[in-house]
Amino acid sequence: MSLPLFLKPKKNFNLIRLGKDNDGGYLAEIESVKNSKYLLSLGIYDDWSFEKNFLEINKNVKIFCYDASVSASFFFKKIVKNLVFVLYYGIKKLIKSIQLFLSFKNFFSDKNFCNHYIYYNDITKIVNEKKLTDKIFLKIDIEGSEYRILKDLVEIREKICGICIEFHDIDLHLDKIEKFIREINLELVHIHPNNFGRKDLNNNPTVIEVTFAKKPGQNHDILTLPNVLDHKNNPEVKDIKIDFC
């Protein structure tokens, strides 16, 4: 079957891949990245490759990240687990978990990371508290809670220059996504199915990554999906093909 046309980009846009290969990387519109003043990243878990790449492209951007699952105890448990099973797993996993903690401490500080679960009205609070005036780029991967903040995003739409967002269980929430796209006043510039998510009864993806941009750079190429920069989220299984009706 097919996805509805409101999820189809009008054409190819000038995109760049940010983040690691496979799961954790997103395609963003290049000008919205370069022109942003702030990166508001909601949901990082144990991967901040997107944020690091963003900073490499835009060295002046101020980054603020929120994730309730990440804390000192989160990394401590990982290290202890790999220490206990060092004879079984080998020392490589232990070293990797220590390096991950050091990388986190090096990249983040108390000023730009908050152990916080994003919920209703949080976006407005964050924007006011951090005094984010305009040109905000958002990366949103909060495992289904994105639907709780769509109204908040629409309320600050004039301050947003770009969004990378992962929508979960889209077969249950297409009406909310359509309403958001209609109201957010940004161009939908890319869509990619996440093949870690299951397919619905019509063989459509239930999890998609969608990118928006304000006044994106022109690219007159005919739309091609997947984009040449796209990676399968799960490299071990077949990607999900998408069509539109």
Side-chain angles (χ1 to χ4, degrees):
M1 297 293 290
S2 304
L3 293 175
L5 280 173
F6 65 79
L7 287 172
K8 183 179 181 180
K10 294 178 181 178
K11 56 186 175 181
N12 277 353
F13 292 89
N14 296 322
L15 306 177
I16 185 173
R17 183 175 181 85
L18 300 173
K20 67 180 184 179
D21 293 347
N22 307 118
D23 200 42
Y26 296 86
L27 269 58
E29 195 272 327
I30 183 63
E31 293 305 319
S32 60
V33 174
K34 289 181 177 179
N35 295 329
S36 60
K37 291 182 181 179
Y38 311 99
L39 171 59
L40 187 54
S41 192
L42 313 178
I44 61 167
Y45 192 56
D46 62 356
D47 174 27
W48 39 95
S49 56
F50 179 95
E51 291 74 18
K52 289 177 71 174
N53 285 170
F54 201 106
L55 188 59
E56 291 168 0
I57 300 297
N58 183 344
K59 298 186 184 303
N60 295 318
V61 72
K62 294 182 179 179
I63 300 176
F64 302 98
C65 297
Y66 294 79
D67 194 318
S69 67
V70 184
S71 63
S73 62
F74 167 82
F75 293 103
F76 179 73
K77 289 176 182 177
K78 275 182 173 287
I79 293 171
V80 170
K81 176 184 175 181
N82 289 322
L83 179 62
V84 171
F85 292 102
V86 68
L87 294 178
Y88 182 78
Y89 291 122
I91 199 169
K92 286 185 178 180
K93 280 202 169 186
L94 174 60
I95 293 174
K96 186 177 180 180
S97 60
I98 294 173
Q99 289 174 334
L100 184 68
F101 174 65
L102 294 176
S103 174
F104 176 82
K105 295 296 288 183
N106 181 59
F107 189 76
F108 294 105
S109 68
D110 293 338
K111 293 182 178 179
N112 69 350
F113 177 79
C114 182
N115 176 256
H116 180 73
Y117 179 82
I118 297 298
Y119 208 56
Y120 295 108
N121 302 318
D122 277 344
I123 298 300
T124 304
K125 292 176 184 176
I126 292 169
V127 167
N128 291 335
E129 177 187 314
K130 300 296 182 182
K131 298 179 180 178
L132 310 185
T133 53
D134 62 349
K135 297 182 179 178
I136 305 169
F137 194 106
L138 294 107
K139 189 207 80 173
I140 304 169
D141 183 5
I142 49 179
E143 305 303 320
S145 284
E146 62 272 11
Y147 299 106
R148 295 187 173 98
I149 64 170
L150 295 184
K151 182 180 178 181
D152 297 345
L153 294 174
V154 170
E155 288 179 358
I156 65 160
R157 61 190 172 187
E158 298 306 319
K159 297 183 178 183
I160 298 175
C161 65
I163 303 174
C164 288
I165 182 170
E166 188 165 83
F167 287 110
H168 300 79
D169 299 318
I170 68 167
D171 52 324
L172 304 179
H173 299 291
L174 279 174
D175 55 336
K176 295 176 184 177
I177 298 172
E178 182 179 16
K179 185 175 186 292
F180 174 72
I181 292 173
R182 190 170 63 247
E183 295 178 346
I184 193 62
N185 198 29
L186 297 170
E187 183 80 35
L188 192 159
V189 297
H190 186 60
I191 180 174
H192 179 254
N194 186 327
N195 65 341
F196 272 113
R198 303 173 74 176
K199 291 190 285 187
D200 66 15
L201 295 177
N202 295 317
N203 283 323
N204 289 323
T206 58
V207 182
I208 56 174
E209 300 163 351
V210 183
T211 302
F212 298 91
K214 179 177 287 187
K215 298 179 181 178
Q218 296 294 308
N219 184 330
H220 298 290
D221 295 341
I222 297 173
L223 176 67
T224 54
L225 293 172
N227 189 284
V228 293
L229 300 175
D230 277 323
H231 290 193
K232 293 190 295 183
N233 294 72
N234 183 354
E236 303 300 323
V237 301
K238 189 177 180 180
D239 213 352
I240 301 173
K241 186 177 184 294
I242 55 174
D243 294 303
F244 301 92
C245 65

